[in-house]
Amino acid sequence: TNTLEKEIVSKFENVEVVMKDKAVKNDYQGNLVIDLSGKNTELVKNITDNFGGVVSALPDGETKPEADILVIVGNK
């Protein structure tokens, strides 16, 4: 998580990590990138293109944080 955080922040201007926490589930396969605000389609796509993963809706059971984008780092 820390490595991916550093890579994303260094690659994209105006990106700030506001919170890190464990997901409710711990069996996600690959990274999920969720546009919580619905206003960051291009940035979300760029994150998945650069760092792998898929664009997703907020998974059932996960809490929506006070952020525009949520990245769930899953198992590889």
Side-chain angles (χ1 to χ4, degrees):
T1 303
N2 290 329
T3 301
L4 185 59
E5 172 189 356
K6 289 176 188 174
E7 291 175 3
I8 290 173
V9 170
S10 69
K11 175 91 176 167
F12 299 102
E13 295 179 18
N14 303 324
V15 170
E16 176 186 355
V17 175
V18 296
M19 182 180 140
K20 289 194 292 188
D21 201 357
K22 291 188 178 247
V24 172
K25 290 177 32 182
N26 64 358
D27 61 349
Y28 290 107
Q29 297 301 309
N31 301 327
L32 303 179
V33 185
I34 300 113
D35 183 358
L36 297 169
S37 69
K39 299 176 183 176
N40 296 290
T41 305
E42 186 175 330
L43 179 56
V44 166
K45 183 180 180 324
N46 286 336
I47 292 171
T48 59
D49 288 348
N50 281 276
F51 301 105
V54 295
V55 177
S56 175
L58 184 66
D60 289 340
E62 297 295 345
T63 302
K64 182 179 178 181
E66 293 294 321
D68 294 330
I69 297 172
L70 170 64
V71 177
I72 296 176
V73 179
N75 302 319
K76 295 194 178 200

